[in-house]
Amino acid sequence: MKLKTLPMCLLACTLGMSFAAGANAEEKKSIVTVVKVTGISWFTRMEEGVKAFAQANPDINASQTGPGRADAAQQLKIVQDLVAKNVSALAIVPFDPPTLEPILARAKSRGIKIVTHEADNLKNTDYDLEAFRNNEYGADLNERLAKCMSNKGDWAVLVGSLGSRSQVQWAQGGIDNAKAKYPELNLVTTMQETNNDGEKAYQVAQQLLRKYPNLTGFQGSSSLDVIGIGRAVEEAGKAGKICVFGTGLPGEAGPYMEKDAITGIAFWDPKDAGIAMNNVAKMLLEGKTIENGTNLGVPGYEKVTVEKGPGKGMIIRGAGWVRVDKTNYKQYNF
């Protein structure tokens, strides 16, 4: 009898182990980071952060994706597909935040945790992560621009997208700072949109230089704005004669800063932002909340502040940004 019952026991034990393994596989959480556009240095750097998070948290499937070009409809489709797959959490850098509101509402109704970045106007998010107060960041860029321009002259502002909440806030912070403190700074036109595209930024800068020959200052918002502006300034033979400041990455902007075609940049490390977003998502999946003073485990987010957002979600703010020019950009390896 024992010889006959042994195979049945082995079968039952094997099946039990298989069911347990299957249950464990199903219980493994997934966090997907969705960026504005893939293939540009800013979000390639962010993906380094997502990969670092994944390596530190092998019990979570963490990955990054995004559209091949900066397009709200393409990003929406990706998010819709991920919601249909019922991922555990989404970490999103929205191209146009209002476009995502309906699908994020659906995601939340399904229990999917939502963390966003550069979107403090979103209602359907659990937490929006900001590296700083956006108007203050834009005002600081403008302070540097005004000093370079001796507090007077014609200037222009570029944004990657008029739908990108944070970029518009940076630009408006600069405009408001100039209006309040530098009456001789003349903004020649409204915010100029570049579609988060370096070639488009180059074309816009060219057009502005032709239309406003006395232009002596640019403030950019997208990380590709300063690259396009710098290229246009260099080709126009005006390097060192036109002041150019904006968000950027040292590796991309460095060559133009060496030629004085870009005067200076500011940034926060996208890698750290990627890690911080995923750490927030993990905390949500563990049933935790983020409060004033919470340490998200990366520089700039060691002691965050938390405030009420426009919906039921909250806004997390880090502290500080990095100022860079040609004297110190080589300190950064990205």
Side-chain angles (χ1 to χ4, degrees):
M1 289 294 291
K2 290 182 179 179
L3 289 173
K4 291 181 180 179
T5 57
L6 185 58
M8 293 177 65
C9 178
L10 287 173
L11 176 61
C13 291
T14 301
L15 287 172
M17 290 174 65
S18 297
F19 289 143
N24 288 336
E26 290 174 3
E27 289 172 3
K28 191 168 184 178
K29 302 296 185 182
S30 56
I31 303 173
V32 182
T33 300
V34 184
V35 299
K36 294 179 184 179
V37 58
T38 58
I40 68 171
S41 296
W42 188 273
F43 292 119
T44 298
R45 177 68 175 174
M46 181 170 283
E47 190 168 20
E48 291 181 29
V50 175
K51 289 178 178 178
F53 172 86
Q55 186 173 8
N57 297 274
D59 56 325
I60 296 175
N61 284 323
S63 61
Q64 178 172 304
T65 186
R69 62 185 177 89
D71 181 83
Q74 286 191 25
Q75 188 183 52
L76 172 61
K77 179 63 168 59
I78 290 171
V79 175
Q80 288 172 331
D81 290 344
L82 291 169
V83 171
K85 291 176 181 176
N86 208 37
V87 297
S88 306
L90 289 166
I92 307 175
V93 188
F95 181 79
D96 181 49
T99 300
L100 297 180
E101 291 283 20
I103 188 59
L104 294 187
R106 189 187 311 168
K108 287 176 66 66
S109 72
R110 292 188 173 194
I112 298 172
K113 304 303 182 184
I114 307 295
V115 180
T116 51
H117 182 49
E118 296 186 51
D120 66 4
N121 59 331
L122 261 175
K123 296 178 181 179
N124 289 292
T125 184
D126 292 303
Y127 288 99
D128 177 68
L129 178 71
E130 300 291 328
F132 36 68
R133 293 192 179 278
N134 292 320
N135 62 325
E136 294 176 2
Y137 175 78
D140 188 73
L141 282 170
N142 187 256
E143 280 293 318
R144 296 167 70 191
L145 178 67
K147 182 178 180 180
C148 178
M149 295 175 64
S150 299
N151 302 339
K152 61 184 178 182
D154 292 348
W155 69 295
V157 180
L158 276 61
V159 294
S161 167
L162 292 171
S164 293
R165 168 78 167 181
S166 295
Q167 291 188 21
V168 170
Q169 289 177 319
W170 305 337
Q172 193 61 52
I175 292 169
D176 291 344
N177 185 73
K179 284 182 178 178
K181 299 173 68 174
Y182 304 107
E184 292 186 72
L185 280 181
N186 175 44
L187 185 66
V188 296
T189 185
T190 56
M191 298 179 198
Q192 298 296 294
E193 196 170 24
T194 63
N195 299 330
N196 288 285
D197 184 288
E199 183 65 26
K200 177 67 173 176
Y202 164 68
Q203 293 169 0
V204 170
Q206 277 188 317
Q207 293 166 4
L208 290 172
L209 288 170
R210 285 194 296 265
K211 188 173 182 178
Y212 304 101
N214 294 325
L215 195 66
T216 54
F218 281 99
Q219 181 169 328
S221 301
S222 161
S223 65
L224 296 177
D225 285 348
V226 289
I227 304 303
I229 296 167
R231 181 180 161 199
V233 167
E234 182 184 6
E235 288 187 5
K238 295 187 176 182
K241 300 176 182 177
I242 295 180
C243 302
V244 179
F245 288 89
T247 302
L249 289 179
E252 289 182 325
Y256 289 99
M257 287 192 284
E258 288 288 352
K259 302 172 186 175
D260 294 322
I262 295 175
T263 319
I265 59 172
F267 64 91
W268 65 105
D269 191 341
K271 178 180 178 179
D272 291 338
I275 296 172
M277 276 197 294
N278 278 264
N279 280 340
V280 172
K282 179 186 177 185
M283 292 175 71
L284 287 172
L285 293 173
E286 294 171 344
K288 298 176 181 178
T289 58
I290 291 83
E291 302 173 345
N292 285 329
T294 296
N295 184 351
L296 297 183
V298 287
Y301 304 89
E302 301 99 329
K303 194 175 181 180
V304 300
T305 60
V306 182
E307 62 192 60
K308 184 73 176 64
K312 293 183 179 180
M314 305 294 285
I315 298 172
I316 303 170
R317 296 193 190 276
W321 53 83
V322 180
R323 287 174 158 198
V324 168
D325 56 30
K326 72 177 181 179
T327 67
N328 66 341
Y329 80 90
K330 290 181 181 178
Q331 296 176 17
Y332 305 92
N333 62 350
F334 57 89

